[in-house]
Amino acid sequence: DAIKSLKGKRTHAAQNLLAAQISKEKDLYVKTQLIEALDVNGSAAALAAALPFLDDPNPAVQQSAVISVSRYAAFDRLIPRFEKVLAAPSTTIGVRNSVINAFSLHHTTACAAALDRAAGDEKNPGGTRPPGRSFAGQGGYKGRGGPGGRILRRQERRHPGRG
């Protein structure tokens, strides 16, 4: 209950208190709740407290850090950090899914490119889509880029005013 109460308070003092408590906490469940309660946008200390847990050996703690840090407004700046988590051989499938979900929540060209790279394999390390056909090359999620946009534009030419 105390964590929920502090989570609701987006003050610097509350966030600093949460951040300070994380390093002292031994109970894994409480630690994951503390990490998820951090407001990484409201406090630099909160973001700094959450980032190290992206490398935590416990998958539950690591996943909580992914969830918390994925709410950061300047998420694109952290893409390389998340790609490092994806590349680690010890990263579990649940944590990988959380990272992929974090990329998909941010509708930017950089996140679309990160999704492309995440879909890559040994033969196609840059992604599985052919060159020039990446998600990022289609205008991201904005406007009418991508295959759906082409269909809409064709319909507009055939039936003006229905767009």
Side-chain angles (χ1 to χ4, degrees), residues 6 8 10 35 37 39 46 53 55-56 65 101 108 111 113 131 139 149 162-163:
L6 286 173
R10 303 267 183 208
I35 293 169
D39 177 19
F53 292 105
D55 297 321
D56 198 88
N101 187 47
T108 64
C111 283
R162 287 195 194 173

Side-chain angles (χ1 to χ4, degrees), residues 46-133:
L47 179 63
L51 280 173
F53 292 105
L54 289 174
D55 297 321
D56 198 88
N58 185 294
V61 172
Q62 192 177 24
Q63 194 165 7
S64 290
V66 169
I67 291 166
S68 180
V69 176
S70 70
R71 295 187 297 247
Y72 186 54
F75 181 80
D76 286 1
R77 292 183 15 208
L78 298 175
I79 288 175
R81 185 70 181 83
F82 279 93
E83 288 181 322
K84 180 183 170 194
V85 171
L86 278 178
S90 62
T91 302
T92 65
I93 214 65
V95 173
R96 289 179 197 280
N97 287 341
S98 292
V99 171
I100 297 297
N101 187 47
F103 288 155
S104 69
L105 291 174
H106 297 272
H107 300 167
T108 64
T109 303
C111 283
L115 281 169
D116 259 356
R117 289 189 298 275
D121 55 22
E122 291 81 26
K123 291 182 181 178
N124 302 300
T128 57
R129 297 174 64 86
R133 298 283 303 163

